[in-house]
Amino acid sequence: MKRWSCLFIFYCSQVLALDAVVTVLETPLLKYRSYQAPVVQYLRKGDVVKVHPSLNNNTDYDHLSPSAEKIQEIREELNQTDQWKQDPLFAGEENSATLEDEFIPTLDRQGNKAFLIRDHLYFYFTNKKELSQKTLTHDPTDYRLEEPLPKRYPLYSPSGYRGQITLGLTQPYDESYPYLSSVKQKGYTSPIDLNVALLRQAPDDKSDRFYIGGVFNVRSFTNSYSLFNGVSAKEQGIRLGLGPFATYDAFKGHKNRLSLYGSLTVNFFNQINVLQESGTTQEQRNYRTLNFSPRFGFQYHRKQVLEDLDFVLGTSLEMEPATTYWSNSAANKADWWQHRGSDKFRTRASFSLAGYLGFQAAY
């Protein structure tokens, strides 16, 4: 009978206690409710501790309790009695705890009362209260250095950066000025596309995959046209753009990587120079606009072809929306241009595929 009584008492004590797990690398067990309190012992991540069971009190019927003024009046009345002072059940605030408290009561190895920092714990309520808990997204106690360590460690050296330069060719740009005479013959060249990107590892990216930054783009092309009226035309385009750039390593191997990326380039300088000539007579006008062009693509990286230098091979798809080009220069040959004064022409939305190669410095 005594054996069964002891077992009953043991299991009842386990039921009354509430379990919590340490969610940070290391947390102190404090002697009293203060960050300046002496540390009784340290707990490590994953340790399960018993905390005060009042954290799991049922609050469904709190709305039926007396008002705060009435409760205060009852406490002041009971405080004059000996039972209130002697019974630990009625010891006041020291024997109760809520999730709003900064410090949570527990017991140390010697069975003495101690306190844990609430933000360093996750409580096992085994009910819907677990879903309302707030957990830390950053561990303030984790002092460990992330591996791999920098090559010059312990000397400081910047890390988590990428610098990339690529050069490639795109599909010919087939939009042109609306000449007054029909075009007899066209000659296109593949635009040259140069990109310089500076990237930094995204915050909270622990896998070294996601990088964000900016890109500078230069594109140039030359197209020629032969018109039925005997006039030859040449269009030289140059575009300078700047915008955000993001890349994610979808496949990450020791020597090989596949990255997906996207960018949105604002073309702050976008000019097409139109030159028309017939015999010894020629005339040219510059047409400019401001537009943007989103781009998506993927890259293959061959790591460390040289020290801290990766080989890059990639392709992309770029969209340039319908755009209006303007020219404010006056023209002399009225039969060559749409308007002799201010002139404009509109291009359609276009898509272009590009292939390129280059190098990347990653450190």
Side-chain angles (χ1 to χ4, degrees):
M1 186 64 184
K2 292 182 180 179
R3 182 180 302 173
W4 287 107
S5 299
C6 292
L7 287 174
F8 178 79
I9 294 172
F10 173 77
Y11 282 113
C12 285
S13 64
Q14 294 297 313
V15 171
L16 291 175
L18 181 66
D19 286 339
V21 63
V22 178
T23 59
V24 295
L25 178 66
E26 187 175 63
T27 188
L29 199 59
L30 304 171
K31 193 171 184 178
Y32 51 85
R33 287 186 171 97
S34 174
Y35 288 106
Q36 283 72 43
V39 177
V40 178
Q41 69 184 77
Y42 285 97
L43 300 176
R44 299 287 289 186
K45 188 173 185 178
D47 289 345
V48 178
V49 295
K50 303 292 183 181
V51 295
H52 203 279
S54 60
L55 285 165
N56 203 20
N57 285 346
N58 191 342
T59 59
D60 294 342
Y61 304 100
D62 283 0
H63 63 284
L64 301 177
S65 66
S67 63
E69 294 78 9
K70 183 64 175 178
I71 293 176
Q72 183 63 27
E73 181 182 340
I74 295 173
R75 285 185 175 181
E76 291 178 357
E77 182 179 338
L78 292 174
N79 196 35
Q80 306 303 320
T81 64
D82 294 336
Q83 292 87 347
W84 180 269
K85 298 178 181 179
Q86 295 174 2
D87 195 333
L89 181 62
F90 304 102
E93 298 298 329
E94 291 296 325
N95 261 318
S96 63
T98 66
L99 283 179
E100 287 70 33
D101 295 340
E102 194 169 5
F103 300 95
I104 302 299
T106 185
L107 298 177
D108 62 12
R109 292 194 185 101
Q110 284 74 38
N112 300 318
K113 181 178 288 188
F115 297 90
L116 287 164
I117 301 172
R118 178 205 59 202
D119 292 339
H120 295 177
L121 301 173
Y122 182 85
F123 303 98
Y124 294 134
F125 292 116
T126 65
N127 55 38
K128 63 181 182 180
K129 290 177 67 175
E130 285 192 23
L131 304 177
S132 61
Q133 292 188 75
K134 295 181 180 179
T135 56
L136 294 174
T137 57
H138 171 70
D139 187 351
T141 70
D142 194 347
Y143 54 83
R144 299 171 298 180
L145 297 175
E146 293 186 11
E147 296 185 354
L149 296 177
K151 291 183 178 180
R152 298 175 181 84
Y153 180 82
L155 299 177
Y156 172 77
S157 59
S159 61
Y161 294 90
R162 291 181 181 177
Q164 186 179 107
I165 181 169
T166 59
L167 182 66
L169 299 175
T170 74
Q171 285 180 302
Y173 186 72
D174 57 2
E175 294 296 307
S176 66
Y177 181 81
Y179 298 101
L180 296 183
S181 177
S182 299
V183 177
K184 180 173 58 175
Q185 188 176 359
K186 302 177 181 179
Y188 296 118
T189 61
S190 295
I192 298 175
D193 195 71
L194 173 68
N195 297 278
V196 179
L198 297 176
L199 305 168
R200 184 172 185 177
Q201 189 175 358
D204 300 325
D205 174 34
K206 303 301 182 183
S207 57
D208 189 32
R209 290 176 181 267
F210 187 42
Y211 280 73
I212 55 177
V215 62
F216 175 69
N217 171 258
V218 180
R219 178 177 290 187
S220 65
F221 66 89
T222 301
N223 295 335
S224 59
Y225 304 89
S226 177
L227 310 181
F228 276 103
N229 62 359
V231 176
S232 298
K234 179 185 291 185
E235 295 181 1
Q236 293 179 317
I238 183 168
R239 191 185 74 183
L240 307 180
L242 192 67
F245 187 97
T247 178
Y248 178 79
D249 292 342
F251 171 79
K252 182 180 177 182
H254 181 66
K255 281 291 187 180
N256 303 287
R257 290 187 184 182
L258 287 177
S259 298
L260 305 176
Y261 75 92
S263 66
L264 179 63
T265 306
V266 178
N267 303 310
F268 58 88
F269 182 83
N270 193 348
Q271 175 180 287
I272 296 179
N273 175 270
V274 182
L275 172 66
Q276 297 192 61
E277 58 182 350
S278 177
T280 59
T281 304
Q282 66 177 18
E283 190 170 23
Q284 68 176 4
R285 304 177 80 176
N286 291 327
Y287 293 82
R288 293 181 182 176
T289 190
L290 176 68
N291 64 351
F292 66 93
S293 52
R295 178 184 298 194
F296 303 93
F298 72 90
Q299 296 177 343
Y300 164 74
H301 297 174
R302 178 65 179 180
K303 302 292 293 181
Q304 300 292 321
V305 292
L306 296 173
E307 186 177 4
D308 296 330
L309 198 64
D310 307 334
F311 174 72
V312 177
L313 179 66
T315 184
S316 67
L317 174 64
E318 183 183 82
M319 191 276 286
E320 189 168 354
T323 305
T324 300
Y325 287 82
W326 297 80
S327 176
N328 293 323
S329 60
N332 296 320
K333 302 287 291 184
D335 55 341
W336 285 3
W337 310 98
Q338 295 284 341
H339 299 91
R340 291 187 60 182
S342 296
D343 196 11
K344 66 178 180 179
F345 69 94
R346 186 171 178 82
T347 62
R348 298 167 299 177
S350 62
F351 295 85
S352 61
L353 288 171
Y356 53 85
L357 51 84
F359 294 94
Q360 173 180 270
Y363 53 94

